[in-house]
Structures are given as structure tokens and as C-alpha cells.
């Protein structure tokens, strides 16, 4: 090997390079910036591996469970309107059979939610997670509670608008936050576990709504109002406790010792990441995200997953009820599809991390969902259509965290990644406006236009976008391995090379 050249190691996998890769010369050795001193210098490899395993386990216990609870509340609060509809919401608010008013109340949430999302990760970085996340949670808990006090459609729409504004920071913020703690090959399963809270919220929401509806009439309020009030109060209280349960980024995390903070930062640096460090915001980071094709292709893929997700979660109770079941039975029948989706979401996250084939996982999983919505579209019996809801959920839910993990793996830089994730998730959620209007009352009980729209989203955007991105990333990796991108670092010093992020020639994309 030539002097001054570096041996290629896939930063995502840490695997041993192939014979061809061993011969690859990528110019001057990439810098790891200002690394903290190694607290494990002098220890054996076995001891280091044991310390690393123990550190990851500690991070998992400190970070993941509480963040899952936050997202469970978030998804429950934004989608419980579907359960509330079955429990008298439209009748009591004078909406009646006016599907346009109800769909407008669904849509307006996604307008404020999507417009604010691209900015939230900048606020998260500047205000600190331990302040920003609990604060927005308290705000949306208050809004959720007041939604139960609405007396007309206008009040409901205003509450939904502010609910979207308050909730906008949680999902992109937590995904960005987790990507600053874990290596790229470890992030997928954590993102999947975090997002599985959405499927659990679907299951839990149906059970909870069936129970809360028994309070109908108490205090002169319908069951739908108590769904909003009780779930909003629970969110508010959890938000208060979150000031003590949500931790800051690795370089400021108080629950870690000085040595453990150094270990976290070092392991991220050796994974070609700088996201755990302080970095001053500059507009060039914003424009770097905007000009990166991966941001926009990721947005296309995510809209295919998210558009289908919201159509499914908002209307599943209605779809099942129109198969001939009573409201309470329909609420309970929503539980099994969500449970199946939660299991597959975590399974796909695990497989994608182990194989580092996030694109193929997206492609395979989306085919399951496509089959499910084809059954909903073409099936004539209630049994076939209910089976289709299982495949639909299993094809949609795993693709959401997998797509976010795929984007996070391939976009490097503290603010660039944050802005890119905000754009990707914001654009995907904006398609909730479409999702809110495709299941029309006049199309019951088959809802063919709605099912066909979701099917189109999954085929064109989720499946098609995943295929295109995988092909383009594989092509770029070949060019980097062949040394065709070495010119990008010519004449640059170590710090300038480090600041290139995913434009460094030794940064190999996750496929």
C-alpha cells in the first residue's frame, strides 16, 4: 500500500475490506478532528469491547424507553380524532355528514406541522433537547386538552392547527437526536423501536378509546371529548416529568462520566460522524442540505411511506366500522394490525442494521404493503379486506423509520443532517393533507379511490424512490472506491477535509 494512502474501511459496518478495497487509495488520511483522549488506552481489545457493549446498553436504557413514551403520546394525540369520530365527535360539533369540514380539520394539522418541521432541529440544537422537547410536549398537551372543550367545527380546526405547530419538533428532533448518539450501523434498530411506539399507539388508542367512551355523559360531555381531555392531561404531566428524563447531546450529557462522554464522541468520530460536537450554525449548512439530491429523493421516498401511514392510521377505525362492525368492535379490531406492524418494524430495523441494506429492506417491505392495499381495493369480502389491513400496516410502518435511518446514515454534518431530516419529514407530513381527503363518505364501504391513492403512493414514491436511490448510491460508492473523487480533498488541510462530511471521498454510503 502506498505511503500516505488510507486503507478503506466501511464506516457504517466496520467490516474488513475486500481485496479490491485494500488497494484503493483515497489520498491523504482523513482526519478525525480533535479527539478526546482515549480513556481505555492500554486495555486489551476484549476489555474495550466489553466496555463498549456496557456503554451502549446504558445509553439504550437512558434514552430509548422515555423517547418511545413521548412519541406514543404524540402519535396517539394526533390520530385519536379517528377514534373520537366513532364516538360522536361529528354529531356533537354540528359537522354531521359534512365530510368536507371533518377532512379540513384533519388537513389543517399537517399544514402547520409540515411548515414548522424544517426549523425544529435548528432550535433543538440551540435550545438543548432537555429544554426543547419537554416544552413542546407541555404545549401540545394543553392544546389536546382544550380540544375536548370545543363546541363547533371552527374550534376543532383551530385546536388542530396549534396541535400541529406544537408537535412538529418531536419526530424529526428525536431522530436527529438519536443519530447524534449512535453509530450508523446501530441507529436503525433504535429508530425502529422508537417509531414502533406509533404502532403501539394505534393498538393502545383503540383499547383506550373503547374504555374512555364509557365515560360518555359525565360532566355533560361526550365520550369523544373525554378522549381528548384525558389523553391531553396525560401528555401534559409526562411533559413536566420530561425536564428530568430527557438528556442533552453527548458532549453535555450529565448522566455520563467524563470518560463515557469521551467514549461516545470517539466512537462517533471513528464512524465518520461529527454530530455529537458543538458547531456554530452557518447558512452554508442550510444550503448544503437544500442542494443535496439525497434530501429531495429522501423526501420522495418518505412521502410514499408517510402519505400511506396517515391515510391508514386516520381512517382505519372508519374502514373497519364500514365492513359491518359496531363502533366498539371496530375500535378493538384496529389493535391486531397495529400489533403486527410493531413487531415487523423492529424486525426490519434489526435486519437493516445487520445487513446494512436499508434500500432492499424498504423495497421488500413496501411490496407487502402494496399487496395489502391491492387486497383492500380488489377484495369483496370483509375477511379479505380485514386481512389486507394487516399487510397494509406491515408494509407501511417499517418503512418510515428505515427511510429516516437511511437518510441519517448518508447525510453528515451537525446542521446539514438536521435541516435535511426536517425537510424530508416535513414534506412527508405535508402529504397528510392528501391523506386526510381521500377517504370520502360517498365512497363507503369500499373506499376504492382512497385505497387506489395509497397504492399509487406506495408504488411510485416508496418503492420507485427506494429503487432509484439505491442505484444512485451504489454508483457513487463505486466511484469513490475507484479513487475518482480523491480530487475533492486536493490541497485541503485536515480540518477542511473533516468539514466535507458526506462529501469526503472515504465516506461510503449505506445502501
Amino acid at each position: 500500500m502506498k505511503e500516505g494512502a488510507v486503507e478503506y474501511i466501511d464506516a457504517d459496518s466496520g467490516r474488513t475490506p475486500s481485496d479490491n478495497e485494500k488497494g484503493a487509495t483515497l489520498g491523504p488520511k482523513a482526519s478525525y478532528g480533535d479527539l478526546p483522549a482515549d480513556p481505555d488506552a492500554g486495555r486489551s481489545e476484549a476489555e474495550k469491547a466489553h466496555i463498549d457493549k456496557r456503554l451502549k446498553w446504558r445509553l439504550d436504557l437512558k434514552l430509548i424507553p422515555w423517547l418511545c413514551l413521548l412519541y406514543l403520546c404524540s402519535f396517539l394525540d394526533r390520530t385519536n380524532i379517528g377514534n373520537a369520530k366513532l364516538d360522536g365527535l361529528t354529531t356533537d360539533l354540528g359537522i354531521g355528514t359534512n365530510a368536507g369540514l371533518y377532512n379540513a380539520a384533519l388537513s389543517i394539522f399537517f399544514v402547520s406541522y409540515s411548515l414548522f418541521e424544517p426549523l425544529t432541529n435548528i432550535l433543538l440544537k440551540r435550545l438543548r433537547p432537555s429544554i426543547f422537547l419537554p416544552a413542546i410536549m407541555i404545549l401540545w398537551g394543553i392544546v389536546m386538552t382544550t380540544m375536548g372543550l370545543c363546541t363547533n367545527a371552527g374550534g376543532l380546526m383551530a385546536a388542530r392547527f396549534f396541535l400541529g405547530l406544537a408537535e412538529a419538533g418531536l419526530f424529526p428532533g428525536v431522530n436527529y437526536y438519536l443519530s447524534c448518539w449512535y453509530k450508523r450501523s446501530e441507529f436503525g434498530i433504535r429508530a425502529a423501536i422508537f417509531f414502533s411506539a406509533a404502532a403501539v399507539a394505534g393498538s393502545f388508542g383503540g383499547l383506550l378509546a373503547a374504555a374512555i367512551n364509557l365515560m360518555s355523559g359525565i360532566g355533560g360531555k361526550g365520550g369523544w371529548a373525554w378522549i381528548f381531555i384525558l389523553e391531553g392531561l396525560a401528555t401534559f404531566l409526562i411533559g413536566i416529568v420530561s425536564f428530568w428524563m430527557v438528556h442533552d447531546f453527548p458532549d453535555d450529557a450529565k448522566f455520563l462520566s467524563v470518560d463515557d462522554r469521551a467514549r461516545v464522541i470517539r466512537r462517533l468520530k471513528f464512524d465518520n460522524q461529527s454530530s455529537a460536537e458543538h458547531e456554530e450554525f452557518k447558512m452554508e449548512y442550510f444550503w448544503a442540505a437544500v442542494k443535496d439530491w439525497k434530501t429531495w429523493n429522501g423526501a420522495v421516498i418518505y412521502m410514499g411511506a408517510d402519505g400511506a401511514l396517515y391515510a391508514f392510521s386516520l381512517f382505519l377505525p372508519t374502514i373497519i366500522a364500514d365492513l359491518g362492525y359496531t363502533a366498539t368492535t371496530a375500535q378493538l379490531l384496529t389493535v391486531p394490525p397495529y400489533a403486527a406492524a410493531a413487531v415487523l418494524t423492529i424486525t426490519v430495523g434489526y435486519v437493516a442494521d445487520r445487513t446494512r441494506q436499508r434500500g432492499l429492506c424498504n423495497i421488500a417491505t413496501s411490496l407487502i404493503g402494496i399487496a395489502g392495499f391491492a387486497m383492500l381495493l380488489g377484495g369483496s369480502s370483509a375477511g379479505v379486506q380485514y386481512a389486507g389491513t394487516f399487510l397494509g400496516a406491515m408494509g407501511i410502518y417499517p418503512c418510515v423509520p428505515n427511510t429516516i435511518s437511511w437518510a441519517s446514515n448518508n447525510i453528515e454534518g451537525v446542521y446539514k443532517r438536521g435541516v435535511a431530516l426536517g425537510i424530508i419529514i416535513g414534506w412527508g407530513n405535508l402529504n397528510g393533507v392528501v391523506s386526510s381527503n381521500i377517504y370520502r363518505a360517498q365512497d363507503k364501504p369500499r373506499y376504492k379511490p382512497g385505497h387506489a391513492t395509497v397504492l399509487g403512493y406506495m408504488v411510485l414514491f416508496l418503492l420507485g424512490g427506494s429503487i432509484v436511490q439505491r442505484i444512485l448510491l451504489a454508483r457513487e460508492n463505486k466511484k469513490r472506491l475507484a479513487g475518482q473523487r480523491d480530487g475533492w480533498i486536493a490541497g485541503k488541510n485536515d480540518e477542511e477535509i473533516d468539514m466535507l462530511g458526506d462529501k469526503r471521498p472515504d465516506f461510503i454510503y449505506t445502501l
Side-chain angles (χ1 to χ4, degrees), residues 88-102:
L89 169 73
T90 54
T91 301
D92 290 355
L93 296 188
I95 296 174
T97 57
N98 189 338
L101 276 178
Y102 176 73

Side-chain angles (χ1 to χ4, degrees), residues 278-289:
H278 282 297
E279 180 178 273
E280 293 298 321
F281 176 73
K282 299 177 183 177
M283 280 304 296
E284 64 187 83
Y285 302 142
F286 172 84
W287 291 116

Side-chain angles (χ1 to χ4, degrees), residues 73 76-77 80 137-148 163 208 212 225-239:
C73 292
L76 190 64
D77 289 346
N80 59 12
M137 193 168 190
I138 289 171
L139 289 175
W140 97 62
I142 294 171
V143 173
M144 188 77 248
T145 303
T146 59
M147 197 181 302
L163 182 67
L208 195 58
I212 294 177
W226 284 112
I227 290 175
F228 293 151
I229 292 170
L230 293 181
E231 293 179 6
L233 288 174
T235 297
F236 177 83
L237 294 175
I238 292 171

Side-chain angles (χ1 to χ4, degrees), residues 78-128:
R78 80 180 65 166
T79 59
N80 59 12
I81 190 170
N83 301 107
K85 181 187 178 186
L86 294 186
D87 290 334
L89 169 73
T90 54
T91 301
D92 290 355
L93 296 188
I95 296 174
T97 57
N98 189 338
L101 276 178
Y102 176 73
N103 289 345
L106 298 182
S107 302
I108 200 167
F109 168 90
F110 296 104
V111 175
S112 56
Y113 189 91
S114 303
L115 291 178
F116 192 56
E117 266 185 323
L119 304 175
T120 56
N121 281 344
I122 296 175
L123 292 175
L124 175 74
K125 187 69 178 176
R126 301 191 71 155
L127 297 179
R128 297 170 25 215

Side-chain angles (χ1 to χ4, degrees), residues 12-68:
D12 183 45
S13 65
R15 63 177 174 82
T16 303
S18 66
D19 290 339
N20 289 334
E21 291 164 351
K22 287 178 180 178
T25 57
L26 301 178
K29 185 173 182 177
S31 166
Y32 289 119
D34 297 324
L35 275 175
D38 185 0
D40 302 315
R43 297 182 187 270
S44 69
E45 291 302 316
E47 289 174 318
K48 290 181 179 180
H50 175 72
I51 291 171
D52 190 63
K53 184 177 180 180
R54 189 175 59 188
L55 175 62
K56 283 189 293 183
W57 180 241
R58 189 177 183 203
L59 296 181
D60 289 342
L61 291 179
K62 280 286 187 179
L63 304 178
I64 304 300
W66 194 259
L67 294 176
C68 285

Side-chain angles (χ1 to χ4, degrees), residues 299-319:
V300 169
I301 298 171
Y302 195 70
M303 74 182 278
D306 230 28
L309 170 74
Y310 285 119
F312 186 86
S313 58
L314 289 170
F315 289 98
L316 181 61
T318 301
I319 292 169

Side-chain angles (χ1 to χ4, degrees), residues 472-509:
L472 294 179
L473 291 177
R475 183 180 300 170
E476 178 61 24
N477 280 350
K478 288 182 180 178
K479 291 180 179 180
R480 295 186 179 196
L481 291 171
Q484 296 178 27
R485 303 304 194 199
D486 291 357
W488 290 353
I489 59 174
K492 296 184 183 294
N493 59 35
D494 286 348
E495 183 178 354
E496 290 171 331
I497 293 172
D498 197 43
M499 292 303 294
L500 288 175
D502 56 88
K503 291 292 185 181
R504 286 167 48 172
D506 66 338
F507 187 99
I508 304 302
Y509 290 122

Side-chain angles (χ1 to χ4, degrees), residues 388-400:
T389 65
F390 276 82
L391 296 182
M394 294 168 70
I396 295 169
Y397 276 80
C399 290
V400 174

